[in-house]
């Protein structure tokens, strides 16, 4: 994966490298008396990574749903490469916009590869009869789809797990798989809804690199995220929604320094280069994890010695019982540790 993770190359405010891929004008979405999104304009140019931030309930996901045909905006218009988008999500995908969801939506009982193949259906031309008759055209198309799906799995680092069931992947890899599946429709614009939610710092850092790599492949990206370090390190431009309205739009420095954004959302400005901070945080987390492992094994050794001493003092039969119990208790800890960690997310 060729990645360019320097903040400089994704410099906020740098001239847009291309024409508008997405052009949303005056988008308003009302649910009865509630206006979730009000008169929002947003453009994403080719080669750009744009962030959409705002407090909970600000209307970010509703706005995404308006862009992807899940909702028909009450007012306004959304264009993709100059064409008004049809109000049907599969047609929006076919036009060139793909998305991931805030809550992972994979086919849990299908393999990793099958999940990506599902994502390719808008790009396969073979019709129903071809699929039923399984003629040479179908087999050629299927082989090409599998090849492309494997390329995408390699791109996100999941090719070795192609035959695993999606539900058996760790959380961070499920998010990667969602991205691979979205990319399978060969989009020109990828919408990511909280791609790092529940991730640890290492996984977040890897996702950041993946998004840069996607941009480098010519796919523009619009991303919703609450992790401000991630957003300000990644995005060329950031738009801030508050109570359905766009409060501010600009480069990272402009947004971070805007008093209204600080008051409504950020709290206090980020200082220093977020990239450096994040690297330091990841390194510290890795060092802590290593130190934790070493301490755990030292503790385990000490426990074993203490138990052995106790056992010597007791009757032989009792010592055997005590060892067996200790082994049971260790086994229970090991088994519980992984699911517990998963549940924490
Ligand atoms: N289908 C719906 N029907 C009625 N109200 C809705 C619907 N979808 C969203 N809303 C409301 O619209 C507002 C914006 O919600 P939305 O989920 O878009 O916010 P958000 O910025 O994505 O929040 P979060 O960061 O928590 O995901 C909220 O008040 C929400 O309750």
């Amino acid at each position: 994966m060729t990645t360019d993770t320097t903040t400089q190359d994704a410099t906020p405010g740098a001239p847009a490298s291309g024409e508008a891929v997405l052009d949303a004008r005056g988008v308003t979405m009302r649910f009865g008396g509630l206006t979730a999104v009000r008169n929002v304009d947003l453009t994403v140019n080719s080669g750009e990574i744009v962030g959409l931030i705002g407090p909970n309930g600000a209307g970010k996901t509703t706005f995404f749903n308006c862009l992807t045909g899940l909702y028909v905006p009450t007012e306004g218009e959304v264009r993709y490469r100059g064409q008004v988008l049809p109000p049907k999500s599969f047609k929006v995908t076919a036009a060139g916009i793909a998305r991931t969801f805030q809550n992972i939506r994979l086919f849990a009982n299908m393999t990793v590869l099958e999940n990506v193949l599902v994502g390719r259906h808008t790009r396969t031309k073979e019709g129903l009869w071809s699929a039923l008759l399984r003629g040479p055209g179908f087999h050629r198309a299927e082989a090409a789809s599998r090849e492309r799906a494997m390329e995408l799995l390699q791109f996100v680092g999941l090719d070795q797990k192609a035959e695993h069931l999606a539900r058996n992947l760790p959380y961070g890899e499920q998010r990667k798989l969602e991205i691979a599946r979205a990319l399978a429709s060969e989009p020109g614009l990828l919408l990511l809804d909280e791609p790092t939610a529940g991730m640890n710092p290492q996984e977040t850092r890897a996702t950041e690199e993946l998004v840069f790599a996607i941009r480098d492949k010519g796919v523009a990206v619009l991303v919703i995220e609450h992790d401000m370090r991630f957003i300000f390190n990644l995005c060329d431009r950031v738009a801030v929604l508050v109570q359905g309205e766009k409060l501010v739009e600009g480069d990272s420095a402009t947004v971070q320094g805007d008093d209204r954004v600080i008051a409504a959302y950020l709290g206090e400005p980020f200082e220093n280069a977020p990239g450096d901070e994040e690297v330091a945080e990841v390194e510290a987390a890795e060092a802590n994890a290593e130190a934790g492992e070493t301490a755990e094994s030292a503790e385990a050794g000490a426990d074993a010695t203490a138990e052995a001493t106790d056992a010597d003092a007791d009757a032989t039969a009792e010592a055997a019982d005590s060892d067996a119990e200790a082994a049971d208790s260790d086994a229970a800890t090991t088994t519980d540790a992984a699911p517990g960690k998963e549940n924490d997310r």
Side-chain angles (χ1 to χ4, degrees):
M1 185 163 72
T2 354
T3 328
D4 178 0
T5 55
T6 55
T7 352
Q8 283 73 19
D9 282 358
T11 303
S17 57
E19 84 286 10
V21 177
L22 177 81
D23 190 11
R25 292 286 165 96
V27 172
T28 294
M29 185 73 212
R30 290 193 195 94
F31 299 108
L34 174 84
T35 305
V37 174
R38 189 189 301 272
N39 198 24
V40 172
D41 293 339
L42 190 75
T43 307
V44 180
N45 296 310
S46 64
E48 270 193 316
I49 302 173
V50 175
L52 187 61
I53 64 172
N56 292 117
K60 304 178 296 293
T61 298
T62 303
F63 183 65
F64 258 33
N65 290 343
C66 291
L67 302 181
T68 53
L70 275 179
Y71 294 157
V72 181
T74 318
E75 288 165 31
E77 194 176 71
V78 182
R79 287 176 185 267
Y80 174 74
R81 295 192 190 282
Q83 300 293 315
V84 176
L85 282 170
K88 289 265 187 280
S89 50
F90 71 92
K91 288 185 180 171
V92 170
T93 310
I97 299 182
R99 75 174 289 180
T100 64
F101 291 87
Q102 201 170 329
N103 302 313
I104 293 174
R105 294 192 187 181
L106 292 169
F107 296 102
N109 290 320
M110 287 167 68
T111 67
V112 165
L113 177 62
E114 285 165 349
N115 268 277
V116 181
L117 286 169
V118 169
R120 282 203 61 75
H121 78 277
T122 52
R123 291 292 171 253
T124 43
K125 294 188 176 61
E126 296 303 303
L128 175 68
W129 285 110
S130 173
L132 290 176
L133 298 171
R134 300 197 162 237
F138 171 80
H139 286 296
R140 263 196 309 276
E142 196 183 48
S145 264
R146 289 177 79 85
E147 194 180 331
R148 178 64 182 139
M150 284 306 298
E151 266 175 32
L152 289 168
L153 286 177
Q154 194 175 13
F155 177 66
V156 301
L158 287 178
D159 50 321
Q160 298 300 316
K161 298 200 170 176
E163 298 307 329
H164 291 214
L165 288 182
R167 67 179 150 91
N168 291 339
L169 293 185
Y171 182 85
E173 291 186 348
Q174 291 193 8
R175 286 235 174 253
K176 278 188 188 173
L177 176 55
E178 269 220 309
I179 292 177
R181 188 177 61 182
L183 291 174
S185 66
E186 311 294 349
L189 174 68
L190 177 63
L191 308 184
L192 300 171
D193 196 345
E194 298 195 25
T196 73
M199 283 188 175
N200 64 35
Q202 290 96 321
E203 289 169 333
T204 300
R205 176 76 182 160
T207 304
E208 194 179 300
E209 289 188 5
L210 181 59
V211 176
F212 276 123
I214 290 167
R215 186 272 315 269
D216 291 347
K217 283 192 172 293
V219 180
V221 178
L222 177 60
V223 55
I224 295 176
E225 189 48 76
H226 285 289
D227 182 336
M228 290 303 106
R229 198 162 284 144
F230 176 85
I231 282 285
F232 291 134
N233 197 32
L234 192 70
C235 296
D236 300 300
R237 265 187 305 126
V238 178
V240 186
L241 280 193
V242 175
Q243 293 181 356
E245 291 186 79
K246 191 168 76 176
L247 187 66
V248 176
E249 181 180 342
D251 60 35
S252 291
T254 306
V255 170
Q256 286 175 72
D258 190 286
D259 288 341
R260 290 165 302 168
V261 180
I262 294 166
Y265 186 45
L266 290 182
E268 45 184 69
F270 278 64
E271 283 172 4
N272 307 323
D276 294 346
E277 259 185 47
E278 194 176 22
V279 170
E281 193 180 319
V282 170
E283 282 170 357
E286 281 168 352
N288 278 343
E290 266 174 39
E293 273 168 27
T294 317
E296 256 176 45
S297 56
E299 215 174 280
D303 284 355
T305 315
E307 271 168 26
T309 316
D310 286 352
D312 280 349
D314 291 341
T316 314
E318 275 178 24
D321 280 353
S322 145
D323 280 353
E325 270 171 31
D328 278 356
S329 126
D330 278 356
T333 315
T334 317
T335 324
D336 287 349
K341 199 168 174 234
E342 291 288 319
N343 292 339
D344 281 344
R345 294 175 191 281

